[in-house]
Amino acid sequence: MKRNNKLPGKTIERLSQYRRSLLLCLAQEKTHIFSHEIAALLHITPVQVRRDIMLIGYTGTLRQGYDIRELIDLIGEIIDSQDGLNVAVIGLGNLGRAILTYLSGKRTKLRIAAAFDINPEKVDKVYGGVPCYPLDRLQEILEKEEVSIGILTVPATETAGVANTLVNCGIKGILNYTPKPINVPPHVYLQEYDMITSLEKVAYFVKRNQQPG
Amino acid sequence: MKRNNKLPGKTIERLSQYRRSLLLCLAQEKTHIFSHEIAALLHITPVQVRRDIMLIGYTGTLRQGYDIRELIDLIGEIIDSQDGLNVAVIGLGNLGRAILTYLSGKRTKLRIAAAFDINPEKVDKVYGGVPCYPLDRLQEILEKEEVSIGILTVPATETAGVANTLVNCGIKGILNYTPKPINVPPHVYLQEYDMITSLEKVAYFVKRNQQPG
DNA sequence: TAGTTCTTGTTACAAAAATAACAATGTTAG
DNA sequence: CTAACATTGTTATTTTTGTAACAAGAACTA
């Protein structure tokens, strides 16, 4: 049960997905599950499921598979923070609001504490249970609410500036949905995702399948 | 200049990003660029840039670096389809509209041909230059517009059904932003992205940095 | 009881991706 | 002219990720 060894990033992603599926199973009165069942739900291989579960040090029973409740709890111990973390969404365009909707009221360990926008129309309203503040109160609110993770959904022109402010406020992690890459000091964990890049990648592989060579 | 060898997926992603940055440079009258300059723009290493460029068979000049115009054109030859591809966005919630906004009018080779939603309020309106059709006309429109790529932004409950319809209509690639994994026949290229998973991954690494062990 | 069948846990292997190392070659400086 | 330098292109190495192979053990069957 030694799981201080750093787990691979991809394993973490899958653990998050296992838990989500397992919660659904639990809601259906299911108590145990086999590796190949989890695999089928997520369209991956049973081997990979078993390997991931091995890495977190959980052990199923031989003929019943894994205890769903126990597995959910263990995944929680691994990927959740004990006391929870506060998250802020910066930029309430369509994407920012989409994220608020997705997350609203779901995660208990990840609390969306605040949203920010520059548009006065949006400021002081509440979206998905989250209050929207003006962008110029970013620093103040981040500190007051002890926000550790920022989700960047501002226009590309604002990315660098907002990112700097986040870092200066002592943010611990940034999820950047802006098409503009940012750089951060090593103690800040950064993950970037660009929708246009993803789409162009799909287009490339579609093209290749059409004209194989 | 043999670039029929399949390029790594990650290289494709970076090529897309190189092109975007290079277009900006070109707009600033710049004609040549060094690998370390590209690297700095995207916060990666110069070696990786050179390696990617080597893989597509382009050669820069020794003291001037790469010709920006030529490089942009070559990347286009590689990742764009000759005649362009038509894309449809299925589901016009916040996320669907965000994508339309991002893409509207930008890509010439990737044309957003149609959007779909089940909500009558949205149907028959135009979003970002793209007409919205009712979901039950999906099959008809996809065939009429010769759509090869579908972007899935419907609620999780609808994912499986819509995905099946897409496959039946002969779609070539799917970009699934739904939290529900789908499976498709091997000739359909599938890419999935789940925002909640990404956020939980960031949270995990933030937690690890806080309590290193 | 002995054997068959599932399923897990683990080790070994393969593939993909990133990084490092370094030869080659114009260009500049003296 | 020669040496130092900056930059590319390529090969080699390491790291990460995924897949396969297989021993071991509980439950069922006869």
Side-chain angles (χ1 to χ4, degrees):
Chain A
M1 189 83 86
K2 45 151 67 165
R3 50 187 138 76
N4 265 349
N5 330 19
K6 186 153 122 240
L7 295 168
K10 296 289 186 181
T11 293
I12 298 299
E13 294 179 13
R14 283 189 297 266
L15 287 175
S16 159
Q17 292 169 335
Y18 296 162
R19 175 164 68 173
R20 201 126 37 98
S21 299
L22 291 172
L23 284 168
L24 294 179
C25 293
L26 203 62
Q28 295 165 5
E29 312 286 329
K30 218 160 143 54
T31 64
H32 290 76
I33 194 165
F34 295 125
S35 62
H36 65 259
E37 293 179 291
I38 300 180
L41 288 173
L42 299 174
H43 308 118
I44 59 180
T45 70
V47 188
Q48 197 155 49
V49 174
R50 293 208 299 279
R51 210 172 184 295
D52 287 333
I53 291 177
M54 182 192 80
L55 288 177
I56 64 175
Y58 183 64
T59 277
T61 56
L62 197 38
R63 199 63 179 187
Q64 296 184 300
Y66 305 99
D67 183 303
I68 294 181
R69 183 76 254 169
E70 283 178 13
L71 189 47
I72 289 174
D73 289 346
L74 181 54
I75 293 177
E77 280 179 41
I78 303 224
I79 69 182
D80 291 336
S81 284
Q82 191 83 38
D83 307 316
L85 291 175
N86 292 320
V87 180
V89 175
I90 301 101
L92 276 192
N94 285 312
L95 185 54
R97 291 201 303 278
I99 291 173
L100 285 188
T101 310
Y102 270 27
L103 298 177
S104 106
K106 301 246 181 67
R107 293 271 153 275
T108 54
K109 292 293 185 181
L110 290 177
R111 171 174 162 266
I112 313 292
F116 296 88
D117 203 285
I118 206 170
N119 182 344
E121 301 270 327
K122 292 173 184 165
V123 165
D124 288 337
K125 291 183 181 154
V126 172
Y127 293 82
V130 178
C132 178
Y133 301 97
L135 202 56
D136 51 24
R137 289 180 66 197
L138 186 57
Q139 184 145 3
E140 169 203 344
I141 305 286
L142 287 186
E143 282 164 9
K144 197 180 87 183
E145 296 280 353
E146 295 182 350
V147 169
S148 4
I149 297 177
I151 304 179
L152 263 182
T153 52
V154 296
T157 48
E158 308 302 321
T159 305
V162 173
N164 273 338
T165 308
L166 289 178
V167 169
N168 288 340
C169 296
I171 204 93
K172 301 293 200 322
I174 296 181
L175 185 45
N176 180 19
Y177 283 114
T178 291
K180 190 90 182 160
I182 63 180
N183 61 353
V184 295
H187 65 273
V188 175
Y189 180 82
L190 171 65
Q191 188 168 333
E192 312 205 284
Y193 181 79
D194 177 354
M195 295 186 164
I196 295 179
T197 294
S198 284
L199 182 58
E200 293 195 331
K201 186 181 175 189
V202 173
Y204 169 79
F205 283 106
V206 163
K207 170 193 170 192
R208 273 199 63 88
N209 276 358
Q210 280 176 336
Q211 43 179 229
Chain B
M1 188 87 84
K2 41 148 71 165
R3 53 186 135 80
N4 266 349
N5 331 18
K6 186 151 123 243
L7 295 168
K10 296 288 185 181
T11 293
I12 298 299
E13 293 179 15
R14 284 189 297 265
L15 287 175
S16 160
Q17 292 169 336
Y18 297 162
R19 175 165 65 174
R20 202 126 37 96
S21 298
L22 290 173
L23 284 167
L24 293 178
C25 292
L26 202 62
Q28 293 165 6
E29 312 288 328
K30 218 161 143 55
T31 63
H32 290 76
I33 195 167
F34 295 123
S35 62
H36 64 259
E37 291 178 293
I38 301 180
L41 288 173
L42 299 174
H43 308 117
I44 59 180
T45 70
V47 187
Q48 196 154 49
V49 174
R50 293 207 300 277
R51 210 172 185 294
D52 287 334
I53 291 177
M54 181 193 79
L55 288 176
I56 65 175
Y58 183 66
T59 277
T61 55
L62 196 40
R63 199 62 179 187
Q64 294 185 302
Y66 305 99
D67 182 304
I68 293 180
R69 184 76 254 170
E70 283 178 13
L71 189 47
I72 289 174
D73 289 347
L74 180 55
I75 293 177
E77 280 180 39
I78 303 221
I79 69 181
D80 290 337
S81 284
Q82 190 83 40
D83 308 316
L85 291 174
N86 292 319
V87 181
V89 175
I90 302 102
L92 276 192
N94 285 312
L95 185 54
R97 291 201 303 277
I99 291 173
L100 286 188
T101 309
Y102 269 25
L103 298 176
S104 108
K106 301 246 181 69
R107 293 271 154 275
T108 54
K109 292 293 185 181
L110 290 176
R111 172 176 161 262
I112 313 293
F116 296 88
D117 202 286
I118 206 171
N119 182 345
E121 300 271 328
K122 292 174 185 166
V123 166
D124 289 336
K125 290 183 182 154
V126 172
Y127 293 82
V130 178
C132 177
Y133 301 97
L135 202 56
D136 51 24
R137 289 180 67 195
L138 185 57
Q139 185 146 4
E140 169 204 343
I141 305 287
L142 287 187
E143 283 165 6
K144 197 180 88 184
E145 296 280 355
E146 296 182 346
V147 169
S148 359
I149 297 177
I151 303 180
L152 263 180
T153 52
V154 297
T157 48
E158 308 300 323
T159 305
V162 172
N164 274 336
T165 308
L166 289 178
V167 170
N168 289 338
C169 294
I171 203 95
K172 302 292 199 324
I174 296 180
L175 186 45
N176 180 19
Y177 283 115
T178 291
K180 189 93 182 162
I182 62 180
N183 60 353
V184 295
H187 64 272
V188 176
Y189 181 82
L190 171 65
Q191 188 168 335
E192 312 204 283
Y193 181 80
D194 178 355
M195 296 185 163
I196 295 178
T197 294
S198 285
L199 182 59
E200 292 195 332
K201 187 180 176 189
V202 173
Y204 169 78
F205 284 106
V206 163
K207 169 192 168 192
R208 273 198 62 87
N209 276 358
Q210 280 176 337
Q211 40 180 234

